[in-house]
Amino acid sequence: MDFLAQVNEFEAAALLAIQTAGDTVALEQARIEFLGAKNGRLRDLQGSLGQAPRENKPLWGKRFNEVKARVTNAWEARKAALAQPAIVLGGVDVTLPGVRPELGRRHPLTQTIAEFKEIMGRFGFTVVDGPEIEDEYHNFEALNIPPDHPARDPLDNFYLAAAGCTADTGPARLLRSQTSTVQIRIMERNPPPIRIISVGRVYRPDTIDATHSCMFHQMEGLMVGAGVTMAELKTVLRLFARAYLGHDVHIRFRPSFFPFTEPSVEVDMSMDESGEKWLEIGGAGMVDPNVLTAVGYDPEHVSGFAFGLGVERFCMRRHRIPDIRLFYGNDLRFLRQF
Ligand code: DAH
């Protein structure tokens, strides 16, 4: 190692030892090792400098003196700091460095939902809420899902067994399986025009894996008025996806079926630029005239579109989150990244 490299190494090691010395004994040890007049490392360096080639002496000597002054000053400053008496108040040494409080942060899904509401607010949609415990009328019947429809199968829903409310006697209640229930609740109480979104939890006894959970979040949207068409539905969904995911995302609509819309579509988003990888993000369509009639609207005069999107899937694509279970695991290593 050449002389200047040795000086650099000495400087770093000496400053570290001095600054981390926790008491006067440790500080004295550091002094003996680095600055000691007999066998200290500074003395060795001075010896090497004495034997340096003449032409190197001015530069090396200058650097040596610099480092010597810096390390000596650091030692003196540390000595003064350690000599200060601790100020103890009520058993607490107030001269000790404080413990920085850790700031919490909002859950990534909470952040996503807030952003969804903000984006849809810009399009003129008002945020509304609905209950998570629903009756069969709002979860199924008013949505044009008849009693014998497979979607009502007790094995595909979380029915609640409450006292005094059995299958035979009381109105059956369940954890809502979709946010579409909110469409009914809003239209029942308000005349058209309607332009709302509702974001919240839904529950399904799905097998849990990287993309399925028995509880997840949906954003429901509903727009009803005179002359509302499918063109507006497609535009709103496209603008929304671009606002949240960026301009390179593509949205694809596939013909599908839902009892409460006609025509119905399933909506996919592109997962990359290849045009080959798509992921389903929800369903949508034009509100079925039967649904409009069930809430007392006149399908001859108003029409509307509705959509239901999976919140987690949007957030997963944006942040490249590989597994939906990460959202619910409360692992701080995951949560701290948002
Ligand atoms: N509720 C449907 C589901 O959970 C999604 C959906 C489809 C919502 C069509 C809608 C709609 O509002 O019009 O699978």
Side-chain angles (χ1 to χ4, degrees), residues 108-120:
L109 283 176
T110 310
Q111 295 183 30
T112 305
I113 290 169
E115 199 172 331
F116 278 22
K117 290 177 178 173
E118 192 270 324
I119 295 169
M120 293 306 292

Side-chain angles (χ1 to χ4, degrees), residues 247-324:
H247 276 265
D248 55 345
V249 70
H250 297 285
I251 294 294
R252 176 172 90 170
F253 299 85
R254 280 180 290 110
S256 184
F257 174 80
F258 295 101
F260 35 94
T261 43
E262 179 58 36
S264 305
V265 288
E266 268 171 338
V267 190
D268 299 337
M269 65 181 164
S270 61
M271 294 305 282
D272 57 25
E273 277 306 297
S274 72
E276 278 161 26
K277 273 188 76 183
W278 298 86
L279 187 70
E280 187 189 327
I281 46 173
M286 300 305 294
V287 181
D288 193 291
N290 287 344
V291 174
L292 296 175
T293 308
V295 296
Y297 287 9
D298 180 356
E300 296 298 325
H301 288 105
V302 290
S303 57
F305 68 71
F307 59 84
L309 306 177
V311 176
E312 278 82 349
R313 292 204 169 167
F314 275 86
C315 183
M316 287 168 80
R317 185 190 189 278
R318 168 139 142 198
H319 296 289
R320 298 171 203 275
I321 297 167
D323 195 317
I324 196 170

Side-chain angles (χ1 to χ4, degrees), residues 177-180 183 204 218 220-221 258 260-261 282-285 306-308:
S177 61
Q178 50 185 353
T179 44
S180 303
Q183 293 183 28
R204 294 177 194 178
Q218 285 187 331
E220 193 78 14
F258 295 101
F260 35 94
T261 43
F307 59 84

Side-chain angles (χ1 to χ4, degrees), residues 136-337:
E136 290 188 293
Y137 177 76
H138 290 92
N139 201 85
F140 300 122
E141 202 175 319
L143 287 163
N144 205 24
I145 306 176
D148 56 351
H149 194 281
R152 294 173 80 146
D153 191 327
L155 291 177
D156 290 331
N157 293 283
F158 286 113
Y159 278 91
L160 300 181
C165 158
T166 64
D168 308 325
T169 57
R173 297 197 177 262
L174 70 161
L175 297 176
R176 67 179 177 191
S177 61
Q178 50 185 353
T179 44
S180 303
T181 53
V182 185
Q183 293 183 28
I184 304 301
R185 291 193 172 273
I186 289 302
M187 289 191 285
E188 277 173 346
R189 275 182 277 121
N190 303 279
I194 302 276
R195 206 191 290 194
I196 57 99
I197 56 156
S198 186
V199 195
R201 299 187 182 110
V202 298
Y203 302 85
R204 294 177 194 178
D206 274 342
T207 308
I208 298 170
D209 63 21
T211 51
H212 295 89
S213 163
C214 52
M215 184 284 294
F216 60 98
H217 296 74
Q218 285 187 331
M219 175 168 77
E220 193 78 14
L222 175 70
M223 177 166 168
V224 183
V228 175
T229 70
M230 192 113 184
E232 277 122 35
L233 166 65
K234 293 175 87 169
T235 303
V236 165
L237 288 181
R238 253 200 195 106
L239 289 176
F240 170 75
R242 288 200 185 154
Y244 181 73
L245 292 171
H247 276 265
D248 55 345
V249 70
H250 297 285
I251 294 294
R252 176 172 90 170
F253 299 85
R254 280 180 290 110
S256 184
F257 174 80
F258 295 101
F260 35 94
T261 43
E262 179 58 36
S264 305
V265 288
E266 268 171 338
V267 190
D268 299 337
M269 65 181 164
S270 61
M271 294 305 282
D272 57 25
E273 277 306 297
S274 72
E276 278 161 26
K277 273 188 76 183
W278 298 86
L279 187 70
E280 187 189 327
I281 46 173
M286 300 305 294
V287 181
D288 193 291
N290 287 344
V291 174
L292 296 175
T293 308
V295 296
Y297 287 9
D298 180 356
E300 296 298 325
H301 288 105
V302 290
S303 57
F305 68 71
F307 59 84
L309 306 177
V311 176
E312 278 82 349
R313 292 204 169 167
F314 275 86
C315 183
M316 287 168 80
R317 185 190 189 278
R318 168 139 142 198
H319 296 289
R320 298 171 203 275
I321 297 167
D323 195 317
I324 196 170
R325 288 168 288 198
L326 288 164
F327 286 123
Y328 319 116
N330 285 334
D331 186 334
L332 286 176
R333 293 169 301 177
F334 171 73
L335 297 174
R336 281 198 180 110
Q337 296 178 49

